[in-house]
Amino acid sequence: MEKRIDKINYYLNIAETVAQRSTCLRKKSGAVIVNKDEIVSTGYSGAPRGRENCMDLGFCSKKKFFPNVRHAGYDACRSVHAEMNAIISSSRKDMLGGTLYLVQYRTETKEYEENPGCCQMCRKLVINSGIDKVVVRINKDEYQVIDVEEWIKNDDLLNGKITY
């Protein structure tokens, strides 16, 4: 008899399916916000509504305009991140105490992101949304659970660990 999938991987698999809608040429990202075992919202990375996506333009704006800068900054990217899209598609009261499931993988290789997680901007949004935990997929069988309270306690700016 086939073994039943656990809830965490169930939600991560949904996030991975959501990521397939991502329009970023570099990295596919999908997010699912769950509260009390109910999906609250989903989001994937892509250009703001009404603007052309990089896949439609045929180039990555970050690579094209900042080819030699590894971390060119948020303004260089056309995409709204998956976490952001999931958060803005939900009300705060529905997210309070919830969990955000996040899957990120490279478009070219289909390999999972080596150090998955939320960028600084998304961390701030997650903190303000009231989400308690973020679960990121490491590989098909492993994941990491991040306690959002740790992001608050270990303030990156005050601890000199800016990761922009």
Side-chain angles (χ1 to χ4, degrees), residues 15-134:
E16 190 162 334
T17 298
V18 171
Q20 292 173 16
R21 290 276 308 152
S22 178
T23 60
C24 179
L25 294 173
R26 296 178 321 115
K27 181 170 48 175
K28 302 282 186 186
S29 298
V32 176
I33 298 174
V34 176
N35 201 351
K36 298 180 183 117
D37 209 21
E38 186 174 310
I39 294 174
V40 173
S41 68
T42 65
Y44 54 87
S45 52
R49 295 180 198 281
R51 289 192 174 175
E52 288 192 70
N53 294 294
C54 290
M55 69 182 330
D56 298 327
L57 294 171
F59 64 86
C60 169
S61 58
K62 224 175 182 180
K63 281 184 179 178
K64 182 173 182 171
F65 300 116
F66 301 95
N68 300 319
V69 183
R70 188 172 184 318
H71 296 288
Y74 304 111
D75 292 336
C77 181
R78 291 185 72 79
S79 286
V80 177
H81 294 182
E83 307 95 294
M84 294 175 181
N85 275 320
I87 288 169
I88 64 174
S89 293
S90 182
S91 71
R92 188 168 189 273
K93 68 178 173 54
D94 291 335
M95 293 184 284
L96 286 172
T99 301
L100 186 143
Y101 295 86
L102 180 65
V103 174
Q104 302 168 323
Y105 61 92
R106 291 283 155 190
T107 304
E108 291 177 5
T109 64
K110 305 289 190 256
E111 292 176 7
Y112 292 107
E113 187 66 19
E114 196 169 307
N115 294 305
C118 300
C119 69
Q120 287 292 346
M121 184 65 70
C122 288
R123 283 184 183 196
K124 291 185 255 185
L125 293 171
V126 168
I127 290 168
N128 272 6
S129 73
I131 289 169
D132 283 348
K133 291 187 290 185
V134 175

